[in-house]
Amino acid sequence: MPKTIVTIKEPGLYTSIQDNGRTGHQHQGIPFGGVMDKESYHIANQLVDNPIDTPVLEMTLKGAIIEFDKSCQIAITGANMQPSLNNEPVGSYTTLNVQAKDILRFGQAKQGCRTYVAIRGEWKAKKWLGSFSAISQMKDHKNIPCALQAADSFSVEVFPFTEQRTYPIQKISLFSNCYVIRVISGPEFHLFHSDTLLNFFDRTFTVSTDSNRMGYRLEEKLEAYSNAVEKISSGIIPGTVQITHDGQPIILMADTQTTGGYPRLVNVIHEDIGFAAQMKPGDEVRFMLVNPE
Amino acid sequence: MKIEPFGQSAVLISFENEIDRAVHNKVIHLYERCKRHPEFTFLIPAYQSLTLGVDLNAIDLTNALQFIQQLAQEEDLSQTLRHVRKITLPVCYAPAFATDMPQVEALTQMDFKDIIQEHQTHSYRVFMLGFVAGFAYLGKLPQVLQVARKATPEKRVLAGSIGLAGLQTGIYPVDAPGGWQIIGRTPVSIFDASKDNPNFLRTGDEVSFRAISEDEFRLIEIKQEAGIYEPELEKDA
């Protein structure tokens, strides 16, 4: 099968290979990992007719410059980073044919935070514990995938071209600068004072710059909240919203550590985790309590 | 025992709210029972809780809660653990590795020799692997060694570092940020990414520490690189 070598000319802010991650290794303290926005991930692979669990490139806020040495098919989904191919603007949410030596270039996301690039074929890259996903907090381990740097490359065994597909424009998620995230009550919900709960659901929070694949810190602290009692550490999962001792909410995301000692106020519902993954620093977010059904 | 949904596809099982081997035994027994069932997609055993991921294609959350209840009743979760691995970890407490010893001396009002002696006297349970790549949380420390974490965490603590924090002593599996008070370092490779089970330690292990010289530290490092190091490990009947 022909093989295209994909070279990262410039990595952008944080570009990594991601797939479904490493669910099943958490008893060893290994993060779940995997794509932050699953919906955009699945659509990207569908558009190039890849198996659903094929890895993709995930870019953050500022995209990469990527060179393909052979022709192949790709699809771009998620946040709009004004993609161009050899300096000609190209569309997202559609199958694109790339020629040998083409250069795919991304700019900055105005709305949304993460952009995905699927490449049709079988990816040949570093794999650890069954997954291609880079782990953001584990650098310098030769067996473990990490974020892509300038001049890094990997190859994809290209499948024969499939027919061009376009994802219906009316079904594409619109990202804004303002999000309402639906949550259900978490294990320590009942331990919070009703004033604190009202304060949490009444107010608009701002996504802090101190946010990454491990979690989103929110800038505003809960009013009149203090908790000096350290809870005995227990399991935490992506989507858990924990409250630090001085009242700062943190939404845990894909690369979260597996255990933590802060009270777990609520959990983001599955349907909204991908949305949350598209929030960027400075965006506004509110929480809406829903019934788990 | 309390069983409750945690998010839409996980379950949290909690026992008595304390750090104690007897409570942790229940966690381990239930963990061992649950891990045989593929309906559970991941398991996070901790001090007094077990978090389980549920494969909603195989079982719905309500039935999963009942199933766990049933598994918990099939045996006496309070019984003592069998087949516990007893591990002796060589630790070098020399000043080059014990970067926070002066601080620990001040906090405990003990001499470093007594601190080292006290740290080695006890055997510790691995209560949990967490944080980054399976940081091992061991306990409980004797009261005289219980010190607060550093107010400001270090950006980088080297792999193998042994720290103190509250009731716990812990081992950094990889280089990582952290605020534990570092009193020594083990040359034993705690985390090896080339293995299917990358962590040398497992939840439920009993660990004790043995003081070694800087020379022995280097020797163990060399043996490991050559692949001839044998961990000091025995298994309970």
Side-chain angles (χ1 to χ4, degrees):
Chain A
M1 239 182 291
K3 204 158 79 170
T4 183
I5 294 169
V6 181
T7 305
I8 307 297
K9 311 286 277 183
E10 276 180 37
L13 187 65
Y14 187 92
T15 297
S16 62
I17 299 176
Q18 296 292 337
D19 55 16
N20 284 312
R22 298 184 178 82
T23 297
H25 297 277
Q26 284 61 52
H27 58 286
Q28 295 239 29
I30 310 295
F32 292 86
V35 291
M36 293 277 278
D37 175 356
K38 283 213 161 69
E39 187 180 334
S40 297
Y41 165 54
H42 290 144
I43 296 166
N45 270 328
Q46 281 161 22
L47 289 170
V48 294
D49 200 22
N50 265 347
I52 198 85
D53 56 351
T54 308
V56 289
L57 286 174
E58 181 185 271
M59 302 183 294
T60 317
L61 286 170
K62 183 181 184 295
I65 300 173
I66 304 161
E67 187 183 65
F68 299 86
D69 86 321
K70 300 270 166 35
S71 67
C72 59
Q73 279 183 311
I74 65 167
I76 302 161
T77 61
N80 182 358
M81 293 183 180
Q82 301 98 43
S84 65
L85 200 56
N86 306 322
N87 294 320
E88 287 293 317
V90 288
S92 296
Y93 289 90
T94 188
T95 319
L96 298 170
N97 292 344
V98 169
Q99 306 306 318
K101 301 294 170 199
D102 274 1
I103 299 215
L104 180 66
R105 198 180 294 263
F106 292 89
Q108 204 126 10
K110 290 206 171 60
Q111 266 94 34
C113 182
R114 287 164 230 277
T115 304
Y116 294 88
V117 182
I119 305 170
R120 177 166 166 75
E122 190 179 341
W123 291 47
K124 302 285 178 192
K126 194 185 283 181
K127 202 171 180 179
W128 186 62
L129 299 180
S131 167
F132 290 94
S133 288
I135 304 181
S136 49
Q137 61 269 56
M138 293 188 67
K139 300 161 194 130
D140 317 321
H141 289 269
K142 70 174 180 3
N143 294 298
I144 303 177
C146 63
L148 295 165
Q149 307 297 323
D152 280 354
S153 66
F154 60 93
S155 64
V156 177
E157 280 186 5
V158 178
F159 299 154
F161 277 23
T162 179
E163 90 272 18
Q164 206 235 346
R165 305 161 187 219
T166 298
Y167 193 73
I169 194 158
Q170 63 275 18
K171 284 171 73 180
I172 297 172
S173 298
L174 283 176
F175 308 124
S176 68
N177 299 316
C178 184
Y179 293 78
V180 176
I181 300 293
R182 290 171 291 174
V183 295
I184 57 176
S185 58
E188 279 76 48
F189 185 88
H190 61 283
L191 298 180
F192 285 83
H193 192 274
S194 59
D195 289 347
T196 305
L197 292 175
L198 284 176
N199 187 229
F200 180 77
F201 291 109
D202 264 356
R203 70 186 306 164
T204 304
F205 293 93
T206 312
V207 175
S208 156
T209 49
D210 191 10
S211 297
N212 52 37
R213 284 186 44 92
M214 294 173 68
Y216 279 97
R217 277 178 186 269
L218 305 182
E219 274 172 20
E220 293 79 7
K221 292 180 173 136
L222 295 174
E223 278 164 24
Y225 178 83
S226 75
N227 181 7
V229 190
E230 184 112 351
K231 192 175 73 64
I232 297 174
S233 284
S234 176
I236 47 181
I237 54 180
T240 301
V241 180
Q242 57 182 19
I243 307 296
T244 65
H245 293 329
D246 58 357
Q248 187 178 40
I250 302 175
I251 310 172
L252 300 173
M253 300 299 287
D255 281 353
T256 175
Q257 56 189 64
T258 53
T259 59
Y262 294 128
R264 299 158 288 192
L265 176 60
V266 291
N267 277 81
V268 177
I269 66 167
H270 288 162
E271 294 83 344
D272 286 3
I273 288 186
F275 246 146
Q278 291 292 354
M279 299 192 303
K280 62 180 183 311
D283 284 354
E284 293 187 332
V285 57
R286 292 179 71 99
F287 295 97
M288 183 166 97
L289 190 65
V290 296
N291 194 306
E293 296 314 312
Chain B
M1 186 178 74
K2 184 178 175 194
I3 306 179
E4 62 188 315
F6 180 16
Q8 289 152 299
S9 60
V11 175
L12 176 67
I13 303 114
S14 326
F15 297 96
E16 294 88 332
N17 195 31
E18 53 190 290
I19 297 180
D20 188 78
R21 280 186 174 80
V23 176
H24 192 248
N25 288 347
K26 300 180 192 177
V27 175
I28 297 295
H29 284 304
L30 190 59
Y31 164 67
E32 293 292 341
R33 289 202 79 81
C34 290
K35 79 176 185 190
R36 299 177 209 147
H37 297 279
E39 295 90 329
F40 302 122
T41 53
F42 63 87
L43 304 96
I44 311 175
Y47 290 96
Q48 47 77 250
S49 72
L50 176 64
T51 302
L52 296 175
V54 177
D55 177 2
L56 297 178
N57 294 318
I59 185 168
D60 70 29
L61 210 52
T62 314
N63 284 320
L65 295 173
Q66 280 170 11
F67 183 44
I68 296 161
Q69 187 80 52
Q70 185 191 320
L71 289 174
Q73 281 163 358
E74 280 173 15
E75 76 174 314
D76 176 13
L77 298 181
S78 321
Q79 61 188 305
T80 53
L81 294 187
R82 282 175 301 157
H83 313 300
V84 173
R85 299 197 312 164
K86 292 188 170 163
I87 294 161
T88 305
L89 271 187
V91 177
C92 183
Y93 296 94
F97 300 131
T99 48
D100 298 315
M101 192 62 94
Q103 174 77 353
V104 175
E105 283 184 303
L107 286 167
T108 57
Q109 298 190 320
M110 281 164 75
D111 182 73
F112 75 93
K113 287 184 193 131
D114 297 330
I115 293 169
I116 295 167
Q117 183 56 43
E118 188 67 31
H119 193 244
Q120 289 180 82
T121 304
H122 307 270
S123 162
Y124 307 95
R125 167 75 61 92
V126 179
F127 280 113
M128 180 172 92
L129 297 177
F131 183 42
V132 168
F135 183 101
Y137 293 79
L138 291 79
K140 292 191 284 196
L141 278 175
Q143 198 150 18
V144 289
L145 287 184
Q146 294 177 14
V147 291
R149 276 167 216 238
K150 295 186 215 180
T152 314
E154 302 289 335
K155 286 218 156 54
R156 189 181 172 98
V157 180
L158 295 180
S161 293
I162 312 285
L164 306 178
L167 295 168
Q168 311 153 104
T169 180
I171 307 166
Y172 283 79
V174 294
D175 297 355
W180 293 44
Q181 310 274 8
I182 304 305
I183 59 160
R185 197 185 305 163
T186 179
V188 176
S189 169
I190 295 298
F191 180 85
D192 182 349
S194 67
K195 292 183 175 154
D196 277 349
N197 287 316
N199 280 295
F200 172 55
L201 296 173
R202 296 182 209 150
T203 306
D205 286 348
E206 285 289 330
V207 175
S208 48
F209 299 105
R210 176 173 73 79
I212 57 168
S213 64
E214 285 174 270
D215 285 345
E216 193 176 350
F217 187 98
R218 300 282 171 236
L219 190 63
I220 293 173
E221 277 189 326
I222 292 165
K223 281 184 177 172
Q224 276 188 146
E225 274 167 39
I228 57 166
Y229 174 72
E230 291 286 338
E232 298 168 49
L233 192 153
E234 52 179 294
K235 208 164 183 178
D236 236 15

